[in-house]
């Protein structure tokens, strides 16, 4: 784990913005207009998906993936100007939030500035042409980090942006040598001492596959040498299997519990139900009661909570990365979860979630209970995933408690509570 990673990151919420699809206009200015609403959700950090120009060569769709970048040192003119971007970041800061941007350092678009000016910094196939190591990423070409001049350029670029923003979400960071990320962190600290480093860690099967090809693929444990926060793909597969009916809830709980002894004491996981690479939570969990329970559990978990733009209105449609496909904020099928999310974000600020011993338990087939405890203080969560009523064990003294989510009274009697189909957080 990065030595100076702060456990207080576990008390925070991150809000992910896909600028193109956030509004009909798809601009920095339109994001800026919504900052009060985003702040009211309980947001601490705004993550902007790639803000840079997109390549035209081998572009997917009509507009191309924001992860096929042509120039790391410029902003996408479709979103606005550099001054527009700085205005957005300044407005984020004025509201007490931080801003991080996406860093896509494994690859560029085939027609990028670097491919023209420094072709020697790229991976080349046997015939000498540009290529990539992952077959379906046909709109990008891979960089080659055996070249230390590339390190210098990339780190200088990070330092340039660190003059403006508060940190970085690093795309497929495990495919790049950890030594690069360690050096980048050290040098960026010269510009911004408290920069936030979020790694898109990758799924276990992908790590095994890449290693089988003789390629770099860092585990989460390795990633934590340089990063503050990593994705929770080490347990996401078990979550998805439960949702799909191909795995048990106990298998998912066991996967979460393994994190407590696998990672360093100050590990921070990015807890999510959805992101731009995964199905919308509402699509996977169409029932409102179940969706609320999973949302409450996500916030209760040990780590930083992520909300992807549109999740607060329970949007079900997964937006494409390659075309204009905006969030339908006014869809009559939407469910307004804004107040619910805001309440959960407020609960998450409690210091019991900062530095605790954490455990999760599957009760029967469809109820999760979880517990944070530290120095005699304890928070217990009960999350019915199918809206059922059931008596549930609760490791608290008998008495009357308050459900922090809705302020209703909860009685603990004979080491248990009656769960009536709604999530509960008591302490």
């Amino acid at each position: 784990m990065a030595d100076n990673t702060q456990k207080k990151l576990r008390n925070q919420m991150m809000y992910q913005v896909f600028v193109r699809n956030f509004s009909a206009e798809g601009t920095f200015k339109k994001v800026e207009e919504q900052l009060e609403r985003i702040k009211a959700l309980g947001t601490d950090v705004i993550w902007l998906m790639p803000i840079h120009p997109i390549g035209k060569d081998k572009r997917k769709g009509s507009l191309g993936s924001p992860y096929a970048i042509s120039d790391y040192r410029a902003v996408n003119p479709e979103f606005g100007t550099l001054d527009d971007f700085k205005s957005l970041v300044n407005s984020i800061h004025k509201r007490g939030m931080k801003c991080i941007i996406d860093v896509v350092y494994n690859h560029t678009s085939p027609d990028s500035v670097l491919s023209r000016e420094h072709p020697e910094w790229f991976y080349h196939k046997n015939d000498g042409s540009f290529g990539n190591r992952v077959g379906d990423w046909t709109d990008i070409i891979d960089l080659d980090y055996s070249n230390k001049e590339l390190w210098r350029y990339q780190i200088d670029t990070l330092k340039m942006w660190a003059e403006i923003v508060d940190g970085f979400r690093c795309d497929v960071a495990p495919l790049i040598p950890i030594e690069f990320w360690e050096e980048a962190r050290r040098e960026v600290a010269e510009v911004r001492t408290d920069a936030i480093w979020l790694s898109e860690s990758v799924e276990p099967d992908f790590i095994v596959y890449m290693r089988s090809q003789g390629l770099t693929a860092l585990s989460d444990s390795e990633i934590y040498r340089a990063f503050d926060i990593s994705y929770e793909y080490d347990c996401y597969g078990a979550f998805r299997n439960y949702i799909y009916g191909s795995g048990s809830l106990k298998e998912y709980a066991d996967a979460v519990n393994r994190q407590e002894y696998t990672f360093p004491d100050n590990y921070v996981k990015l807890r999510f139900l959805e992101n731009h690479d995964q199905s919308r939570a509402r699509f996977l969990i169409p029932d409102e009661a179940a969706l609320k329970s999973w949302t409450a559990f996500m916030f209760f978990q040990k780590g930083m909570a992520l909300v992807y733009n549109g999740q607060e209105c329970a949007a079900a449609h997964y937006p494409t990365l390659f075309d204009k496909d905006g969030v339908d904020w006014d869809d009559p099928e939407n469910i307004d979860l804004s107040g619910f999310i805001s309440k959960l974000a407020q609960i998450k600020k409690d210091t019991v979630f900062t530095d605790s011993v954490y455990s999760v338990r599957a009760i029967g087939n469809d109820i999760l209970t979880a517990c944070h405890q530290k120095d005699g203080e304890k928070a217990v969560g009960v999350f019915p995933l199918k809206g059922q009523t059931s008596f549930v064990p609760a490791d608290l003294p008998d008495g009357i408690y308050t459900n922090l989510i809705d302020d209703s009274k909860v009685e603990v009697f004979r080491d248990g509570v009656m769960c009536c189909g709604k999530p509960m957080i008591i302490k």
Side-chain angles (χ1 to χ4, degrees):
M1 192 77 190
D3 291 341
N4 59 346
T5 293
Q6 300 296 308
K7 292 182 179 180
K8 65 182 181 181
L9 291 170
R10 295 171 177 164
N11 296 102
Q12 297 186 8
M13 174 187 137
M14 181 178 290
Y15 186 84
Q16 179 185 359
V17 175
F18 187 0
V19 176
R20 176 196 294 165
N21 287 338
F22 184 78
S23 65
E25 295 79 4
T27 62
F28 295 131
K29 288 183 177 179
K30 287 299 177 180
V31 177
E32 188 170 354
E33 290 176 6
Q34 292 294 317
L35 289 181
E36 287 294 332
R37 182 184 67 79
I38 294 172
K39 172 67 176 177
L41 290 172
T43 302
D44 300 285
V45 182
I46 292 179
W47 154 26
L48 299 175
M49 287 170 59
I51 61 167
H52 308 298
I54 297 169
K56 294 182 171 60
D57 188 18
K58 296 185 179 179
R59 174 179 283 188
K60 291 184 178 181
S62 59
L63 296 176
S65 168
Y67 292 91
I69 290 170
S70 63
D71 188 352
Y72 291 126
R73 297 186 175 183
V75 299
N76 188 339
E78 297 170 15
F79 297 167
T81 65
L82 179 59
D83 284 341
D84 292 335
F85 173 68
K86 289 180 177 179
S87 175
L88 170 58
V89 177
N90 287 337
S91 294
I92 290 171
H93 288 161
K94 287 178 182 177
R95 288 165 175 80
M97 297 181 287
K98 293 187 175 183
C99 177
I100 68 172
I101 59 171
D102 236 310
V103 172
V104 189
Y105 269 13
N106 178 67
H107 48 260
T108 74
S109 67
D111 55 351
S112 66
V113 169
L114 292 188
S115 70
R116 296 194 305 271
E117 297 181 354
H118 292 284
E120 72 278 12
W121 291 356
F122 286 79
Y123 161 76
H124 294 271
K125 296 186 288 188
N126 291 335
D127 63 4
S129 62
F130 292 124
N132 67 78
R133 300 172 180 88
V134 181
D136 63 343
W137 297 353
T138 57
D139 56 342
I140 54 90
I141 55 176
D142 284 358
L143 289 158
D144 179 1
Y145 280 82
S146 67
N147 193 312
K148 287 301 182 73
E149 291 181 356
L150 171 62
W151 287 37
R152 182 73 269 142
Y153 181 92
Q154 299 289 63
I155 292 173
D156 285 346
T157 302
L158 289 170
K159 292 169 77 173
M160 180 193 85
W161 289 112
E163 296 279 359
I164 303 170
V165 301
D166 303 288
F168 307 100
R169 178 267 185 188
C170 301
D171 189 66
V172 288
L175 306 192
I176 296 168
I178 191 62
E179 294 80 9
F180 168 80
W181 293 120
E182 289 175 318
E183 185 169 328
R185 183 179 179 118
R186 283 192 297 270
E187 293 205 30
V188 166
E190 298 170 4
V191 178
R192 190 170 293 272
T193 57
D194 59 348
I196 298 168
W197 290 85
L198 164 62
S199 166
E200 182 204 17
S201 47
V202 295
E203 294 180 318
D205 289 348
F206 188 64
I207 294 174
V208 173
Y209 167 76
M210 293 295 284
R211 290 178 175 177
S212 75
Q213 304 301 303
L215 302 172
T216 298
L218 303 172
S219 67
D220 285 16
S221 295
E222 291 170 297
I223 276 293
Y224 276 133
R225 285 166 49 184
F227 287 85
D228 300 305
I229 314 165
S230 78
Y231 275 37
E232 57 172 344
Y233 279 146
D234 55 311
C235 64
Y236 182 77
F239 159 76
R240 189 170 50 209
N241 289 343
Y242 166 74
I243 294 294
Y244 291 169
S246 59
S248 72
L249 194 60
K250 182 180 184 303
E251 289 169 334
Y252 172 62
D254 289 345
V256 174
N257 286 331
R258 279 194 293 272
Q259 296 173 339
E260 278 290 274
Y261 57 81
T262 301
F263 303 124
D265 177 62
N266 59 339
Y267 81 95
V268 183
K269 280 287 179 179
L270 186 70
R271 304 299 185 177
F272 60 86
L273 294 179
E274 62 181 69
N275 60 52
H276 68 276
D277 284 322
Q278 303 298 337
S279 300
R280 287 285 197 182
R282 175 79 179 285
F283 177 81
L284 293 176
I285 311 163
D287 178 75
E288 181 176 352
L291 182 61
K292 285 186 171 181
S293 272
W294 274 112
T295 303
F297 176 67
M298 179 188 75
F299 274 87
F300 188 85
Q301 285 233 72
K302 192 175 194 175
M304 181 180 287
L306 175 70
V307 172
Y308 180 34
N309 58 199
Q311 187 173 347
E312 66 268 42
C313 68
H317 170 65
Y318 171 77
T320 176
L321 287 176
F322 313 120
D323 301 286
K324 181 65 177 175
D325 191 13
V327 177
D328 187 351
W329 297 102
D330 299 317
D331 188 331
E333 297 298 317
N334 288 349
I335 302 170
D336 184 6
L337 298 178
S338 298
F340 188 67
I341 288 172
S342 178
K343 183 65 173 179
L344 293 169
Q346 178 185 341
I347 293 170
K348 197 169 185 64
K349 295 295 185 288
D350 193 303
T351 56
V352 73
F353 299 105
T354 308
D355 184 15
S356 65
V357 174
Y358 179 59
S359 60
V360 181
R361 182 181 176 189
I363 305 296
N365 294 325
D366 300 303
I367 296 177
L368 283 173
T369 64
C371 179
H372 290 267
Q373 49 187 330
K374 181 71 173 181
D375 298 330
E377 189 177 10
K378 184 180 292 186
V380 172
V382 178
F383 308 97
L385 306 178
K386 296 291 176 67
Q388 66 273 50
T389 295
S390 179
F391 184 78
V392 179
D395 189 17
L396 287 168
D398 285 4
I400 304 297
Y401 295 79
T402 298
N403 181 357
L404 300 180
I405 297 175
D406 62 7
D407 297 323
S408 62
K409 297 303 178 184
V410 176
E411 182 175 8
V412 176
F413 181 66
R414 293 181 177 174
D415 302 318
V417 297
M418 184 57 68
C419 171
C420 297
K422 298 187 299 182
M424 295 185 289
I425 298 175
I426 54 181
K427 66 184 291 290

